[in-house]
Amino acid sequence: MVEYPKGEWKDYELLDSGDGQKLERFGAYALIRPEPKALWTPSMSIAEWNALASVRFKPGAGFGRAGKEDSGTWEKLRQMPDQWAVKYPGDGFTLRMRLGLTAFKHVGIFPEQAPNWEWIFARAEDAKVLNLFAYTGGASLAARAAGADVTHLDSVRQVVSWARENMESSGMQDIRWVVEDAMKFARREARRGHIYDGIILDPPAYGHGPDGEKWKLDELLFEMLRTVCLILNPEHGWMVLNLYSNGYSAALGETIVREAFGLGSAATAYKMQSGELALNDKFGKALPLSIYVRLELRP
């Protein structure tokens, strides 16, 4: 199944894509960013892109090598602020998130994640939720908006501060903030016997914890999911796994979740769905960006 953000989101639009780039509008400003999956020819000309865009990201040497991102610079084509805000009108909730021009082409949100936010909001009422690799907190805010007790974890202190700013801008409070290595935290929670009703994971291909701990998705994802199994409520727990790495498919995601949770024997009742999260540009070109697996355990 391929899912897209709903059309009612007026603050975001994928205007065009192609030649390894995408032209997007966030609020009042259009941006040109690298997108390796945009393998086709753009529908508009370079001149039309430049006429619409306020800023263009220029990657440094080695961008994309071994799946890692080098830093780059933003070239402003016309005046715009370095920081601004957008709203996401969810089905029963509203998120207000600050955007910014970072050194790694990201701006603070991944718009294709909107279907995951909706799914989380629909299940998070009165739940105890853990968001690992949580970035600037879209999923954390969706869970908190539903009334969940949320723990938000990321290894980068500045990113956690950004997420807290988004919480306050969205009129929320009382999210628990943790700056730590995700694997280390999950293992400690398992040793302590702490249980969560919902767990959200959006791990990068590569990363580092605050004390230099190394994360490599291909080597550690299965172990992470085995640990998550120990801290997820076996009666009515749910989990969302999102993966951006090239070469990962929905079928692979389902298999690794099923094996990590020991669901192959069907001894545990569960519901699982998987698919792709994608964006549609104004010319109807679908741009798939990540795969998801959503798991619900049943009594």
Side-chain angles (χ1 to χ4, degrees):
M1 178 185 297
V2 181
E3 298 187 17
Y4 304 87
K6 59 185 183 180
E8 294 83 0
W9 191 3
K10 303 304 181 185
D11 270 3
Y12 177 77
E13 192 175 17
L14 179 60
L15 300 172
D16 196 7
S17 57
D19 285 349
Q21 298 187 100
K22 54 187 174 183
L23 173 65
E24 303 165 281
R25 180 182 59 80
F26 292 89
Y29 307 104
L31 293 69
I32 299 173
R33 297 193 286 167
E35 181 44 68
K37 294 181 180 178
L39 302 175
W40 42 83
T41 301
S43 299
M44 292 189 288
S45 68
I46 294 176
E48 289 174 303
W49 277 42
N50 289 338
L52 291 170
S54 296
V55 66
R56 175 196 293 115
F57 185 81
K58 302 180 71 173
F63 178 82
R65 182 179 53 215
K68 301 177 73 173
E69 294 177 349
D70 261 355
S71 60
T73 58
W74 291 92
E75 176 190 0
K76 288 191 178 180
L77 305 177
R78 52 188 49 83
Q79 279 299 114
M80 68 167 290
D82 290 334
Q83 298 183 6
W84 71 107
V86 296
K87 287 184 180 180
Y88 175 73
D91 186 10
F93 65 103
T94 299
L95 306 182
R96 180 177 173 85
M97 293 171 284
R98 190 260 290 176
L99 305 186
L101 303 177
T102 76
F104 295 94
K105 83 169 181 172
H106 304 305
V107 295
I109 62 171
F110 294 87
E112 63 277 5
Q113 287 298 313
N116 275 341
W117 301 339
E118 299 282 354
W119 192 90
I120 291 165
F121 176 79
R123 287 156 181 80
E125 184 177 3
D126 297 328
K128 184 179 179 183
V129 174
L130 171 62
N131 188 5
L132 298 168
F133 310 98
Y135 193 45
T136 58
S140 297
L141 297 180
R144 186 71 189 105
D149 175 359
V150 179
T151 298
H152 172 112
L153 181 145
D154 198 278
S155 65
V156 181
R157 186 172 301 277
Q158 296 94 322
V159 168
V160 172
S161 297
W162 192 340
R164 182 170 191 144
E165 185 179 333
N166 287 339
M167 177 192 71
E168 294 168 350
S169 297
S170 298
M172 303 178 199
Q173 57 185 358
D174 296 334
I175 289 177
R176 179 191 179 200
W177 309 106
V178 179
V179 179
E180 193 168 347
D181 176 73
M183 182 72 84
K184 183 183 293 185
F185 181 85
R187 287 171 175 162
R188 188 170 68 248
E189 292 294 87
R191 290 195 300 271
R192 293 175 174 175
H194 291 173
I195 298 295
Y196 294 87
D197 302 306
I199 299 180
I200 304 159
L201 303 97
D202 189 1
Y206 301 89
H208 292 89
D211 295 322
E213 302 93 341
K214 292 184 179 180
W215 167 266
K216 188 174 181 181
L217 185 70
D218 293 348
E219 297 176 358
L220 296 173
L221 178 59
F222 186 69
E223 183 181 350
M224 171 61 84
L225 290 171
R226 291 286 297 268
T227 306
V228 164
C229 177
L230 300 176
I231 60 177
L232 185 65
N233 190 322
E235 295 295 323
H236 56 261
W238 53 263
M239 183 192 72
V240 179
L241 172 66
N242 190 80
L243 298 170
Y244 278 96
S245 288
N246 290 332
Y248 279 66
S249 67
L252 186 150
E254 279 207 18
T255 300
I256 196 169
V257 170
R258 189 177 292 112
E259 293 303 308
F261 278 75
L263 301 175
S265 64
T268 301
Y270 68 94
K271 178 181 178 181
M272 188 185 300
Q273 63 178 154
S274 66
E276 295 179 280
L277 298 182
L279 299 171
N280 254 328
D281 70 20
K282 288 175 66 68
F283 300 92
K285 302 191 296 294
L287 180 62
L289 293 170
S290 75
I291 69 106
Y292 69 85
V293 180
R294 301 173 186 147
L295 173 68
E296 295 178 87
L297 302 178
R298 306 287 179 84

